[in-house]
Amino acid sequence: MNAIFKVPLRRLWGYAIVFSCLFGPVAAQDTVLRNYIEQGLKNNQGIRQQGFLLERNMYALKEARSFFLPEVNFNTSYLDSRGGRKISIPIGDLLNPVYSSLNQLTNSSVFPQVDNVNQTFNPNNYYDAKFRTSLPIYNAEIIYNSRIRKEQINFQQAELDVYKRELVKEIKLGYYACVQAREGVTILENAVKLARENLRFNQALVKNDKAIRTVVSRSENELIGLEARLEDARNQSRSAVAYFNFLLNNPLDTPMELTEMQADTVQIGNAEPGRREELLKLESLSKIISLSEQLAKAAALPRLSTFIDLGSQGDFIKFNNDTRYYLFGLTLDWRVFAGNRVQYKAKQAALESKATGQQIDQVEQQLALQVETAGNRLHSASQFFQASKSQTALSQQYYNDQQKLYREGQLLYIELLDAQNRLIGDQLQQSIAYLNVQTRSAELERARASYVFSN
């Protein structure tokens, strides 16, 4: 963990101090955007899907723990048979001579003659109904399986948090894109108004024979071009709003609450860095693999359980003290030999655990690089934004001076158009630079996992 943020943050904290001095906080935008983020986290379909998967893993843990509890099953069977194998019991041959002798000695017929018996092996008109209660006394596989299920919840929670952080970044980028698109529309609307004013002014000059018709034609063409660009900007703004509503799971045409783009204030996230959920996922995966190795080894351990049967068996429909019974027992299951299957499976899990450990080290370096890169990009974007503000201010002053000279008849119209196009281009470039700073800020916040979720 320390390898991820320790070195890059020495430079990033310096960036944060500079940004705080240059750009202060934007409270209104922060409040509106925060509300949209909370709405997106609540309504987004992907978040709901991840929540269902997390809830499923919780029930899987409850299922695993239920194997520690007694299990009661009711079982009944009825058997009726004819024929089949038989066993001959010579009861008559054994007892009849004895009974005859006794009758002669007693001069009576008290001892009757009996027949030999042929008894079938299959029961006839026989039932057996019982409740069997079983309880595991020792089963290591149940223990490790329960621990794996518990760790899978941590893994799924980290997966959910990764999705939430990505969604927060996408919502922020979508919001800033809407702000920039609206700002672009505003800039072009002002440019159209300015072009119409210039057209009227040039028409007045031609009417008073102070300019040629070409000036009016050029003004008209310029106005048509700006109106086309304005329509395209409006379409882009509608598309940006539709995508933003898609992230929030709202109807695509839902109106948005947008704050004004502040040219002198850009919000930079400077919260404390958090633990990247990608690492938490890999650490949970490593624990799961380690437990899987223990689970594989547990297959070679003995399993001890107990059971008790409470039931009744006998001729069908008969139920009395003679038919009722109970049966108690212990069972021990111990796999003595399985062709080294357990050892091979444990070796596989051990090697997979080593591979996961190497993957964690690699991801730590990648995340450290991501933080460093995001900080550098933000620093560059802020510098470019400052330069674009200065350029826009200069272009505005230059256009005002050129327009004054043109109205005094000291400047060609083509020179005024050049100043106008330069001003429009610089204003649009400033709005794009503003969007770029906010985008890089959101990327840095994502790389540092510094966004704090509400409870």
Side-chain angles (χ1 to χ4, degrees):
M1 171 61 188
N2 293 333
I4 300 178
F5 295 112
K6 187 174 182 179
V7 175
L9 283 182
R10 294 175 181 175
R11 187 178 301 175
L12 295 178
W13 285 122
Y15 294 162
I17 295 174
V18 174
F19 297 151
S20 299
C21 296
L22 291 177
F23 311 113
V26 188
Q29 186 182 79
D30 182 67
T31 301
V32 173
L33 183 54
R34 183 82 184 190
N35 292 337
Y36 277 130
I37 290 174
E38 295 300 326
Q39 182 181 351
L41 294 176
K42 180 179 179 182
N43 298 334
N44 185 265
Q45 294 288 355
I47 293 292
R48 292 179 180 177
Q49 294 174 14
Q50 295 294 329
F52 292 146
L53 294 177
L54 178 61
E55 188 176 1
R56 180 201 64 182
N57 286 340
M58 289 182 178
Y59 280 109
L61 174 61
K62 293 181 180 180
E63 177 191 7
R65 288 176 174 175
S66 67
F67 285 98
F68 292 103
L69 303 176
E71 182 178 345
V72 181
N73 294 292
F74 175 74
N75 179 266
T76 183
S77 61
Y78 171 76
L79 299 174
D80 186 23
S81 67
R82 298 290 186 272
R85 293 182 300 165
K86 298 180 181 180
I87 182 172
S88 296
I89 304 176
I91 296 178
D93 295 341
L94 294 173
L95 297 180
N96 286 339
V98 177
Y99 285 173
S100 297
S101 299
L102 291 174
N103 286 333
Q104 291 176 1
L105 291 174
T106 58
N107 193 22
S108 66
S109 60
V110 176
F111 301 96
Q113 297 295 301
V114 296
D115 297 327
N116 292 330
V117 174
N118 290 325
Q119 179 64 46
T120 60
F121 280 92
N122 294 329
N124 181 26
N125 195 32
Y126 172 84
Y127 81 94
D128 183 11
K130 62 185 176 182
F131 286 95
R132 165 162 288 194
T133 302
S134 58
L135 177 67
I137 297 177
Y138 175 76
N139 191 334
E141 290 180 296
I142 296 178
I143 296 174
Y144 287 115
N145 188 59
S146 178
R147 293 176 181 176
I148 289 174
R149 295 296 186 185
K150 183 177 180 180
E151 195 59 42
Q152 284 177 340
I153 293 179
N154 297 332
F155 180 87
Q156 189 61 46
Q157 181 63 58
E159 181 74 23
L160 175 60
D161 291 339
V162 168
Y163 192 95
K164 289 169 65 175
R165 289 202 180 277
E166 285 295 328
L167 180 62
V168 169
K169 187 188 78 170
E170 290 299 322
I171 290 176
K172 284 192 171 185
L173 296 184
Y175 181 84
Y176 298 140
C178 291
V179 173
Q180 190 274 330
R182 188 193 62 178
E183 182 67 17
V185 171
T186 302
I187 292 172
L188 290 174
E189 285 177 345
N190 294 332
V192 168
K193 292 179 182 178
L194 193 60
R196 288 173 179 168
E197 181 181 349
N198 289 336
L199 176 59
R200 287 193 296 268
F201 181 78
N202 289 332
Q203 288 173 342
L205 291 179
V206 172
K207 185 177 180 180
N208 295 323
D209 295 328
K210 293 184 178 181
I212 60 177
R213 176 63 187 172
T214 304
V215 175
V216 175
S217 299
R218 184 64 184 271
S219 299
E220 291 175 345
N221 291 334
E222 188 69 20
L223 177 60
I224 293 173
L226 288 173
E227 288 176 342
R229 292 178 63 183
L230 175 59
E231 185 61 28
D232 180 65
R234 286 171 176 170
N235 290 332
Q236 292 182 10
S237 179
R238 284 190 286 266
S239 298
V241 171
Y243 176 71
F244 186 78
N245 285 319
F246 166 76
L247 294 176
L248 270 57
N249 196 29
N250 288 337
L252 300 183
D253 57 350
T254 302
M256 282 185 59
E257 179 184 357
L258 295 175
T259 56
E260 294 293 332
M261 187 183 79
Q262 303 293 331
D264 296 326
T265 53
V266 178
Q267 187 177 8
I268 304 297
N270 57 357
E272 291 288 342
R275 187 74 185 276
R276 288 293 294 265
E277 286 77 9
E278 290 85 349
L279 283 177
L280 296 178
K281 280 178 56 180
L282 289 175
E283 289 173 357
S284 292
L285 179 60
S286 179
K287 292 179 182 178
I288 291 173
I289 295 173
S290 178
L291 290 172
S292 298
E293 179 183 358
Q294 299 300 320
L295 178 62
K297 294 179 179 179
L301 299 178
R303 294 185 291 272
L304 180 64
S305 61
T306 183
F307 72 91
I308 183 171
D309 291 344
L310 302 176
S312 175
Q313 58 182 212
D315 292 338
F316 187 59
I317 302 180
K318 288 185 179 180
F319 179 78
N320 51 44
N321 290 332
D322 294 331
T323 64
R324 294 195 294 269
Y325 72 94
Y326 84 91
L327 179 65
F328 174 79
L330 293 172
T331 60
L332 177 65
D333 183 15
W334 195 347
R335 183 182 297 168
V336 179
F337 178 75
N340 291 330
R341 188 186 311 147
V342 173
Q343 290 82 348
Y344 295 150
K345 192 172 183 179
K347 285 291 185 182
Q348 294 177 50
L351 292 174
E352 189 175 357
S353 179
K354 291 181 180 179
T356 305
Q358 293 296 321
Q359 185 179 5
I360 291 176
D361 294 338
Q362 182 182 10
V363 170
E364 284 181 346
Q365 295 179 359
Q366 291 175 344
L367 295 181
L369 177 62
Q370 185 180 7
V371 172
E372 176 74 12
T373 302
N376 293 334
R377 288 178 176 176
L378 178 57
H379 180 69
S380 298
S382 65
Q383 295 295 327
F384 187 81
F385 175 69
Q386 290 298 309
S388 66
K389 285 200 305 178
S390 300
Q391 182 64 36
T392 301
L394 179 62
S395 296
Q396 182 68 58
Q397 182 62 43
Y398 178 73
Y399 176 78
N400 293 337
D401 294 341
Q402 295 294 89
Q403 187 182 44
K404 183 178 179 180
L405 292 174
Y406 179 72
R407 291 180 180 272
E408 293 175 355
Q410 302 178 20
L411 189 72
L412 297 176
Y413 182 64
I414 190 172
E415 295 179 282
L416 178 63
L417 282 182
D418 179 68
Q420 176 182 312
N421 292 332
R422 182 183 300 180
L423 174 61
I424 295 172
D426 289 342
Q427 288 176 336
L428 292 174
Q429 188 63 44
Q430 179 181 331
S431 69
I432 294 174
Y434 174 86
L435 171 64
N436 193 34
V437 171
Q438 298 288 24
T439 299
R440 299 310 181 193
S441 175
E443 290 175 351
L444 177 59
E445 180 184 67
R446 172 67 185 95
R448 298 169 62 203
S450 57
Y451 183 85
V452 180
F453 295 103
S454 300
N455 294 329

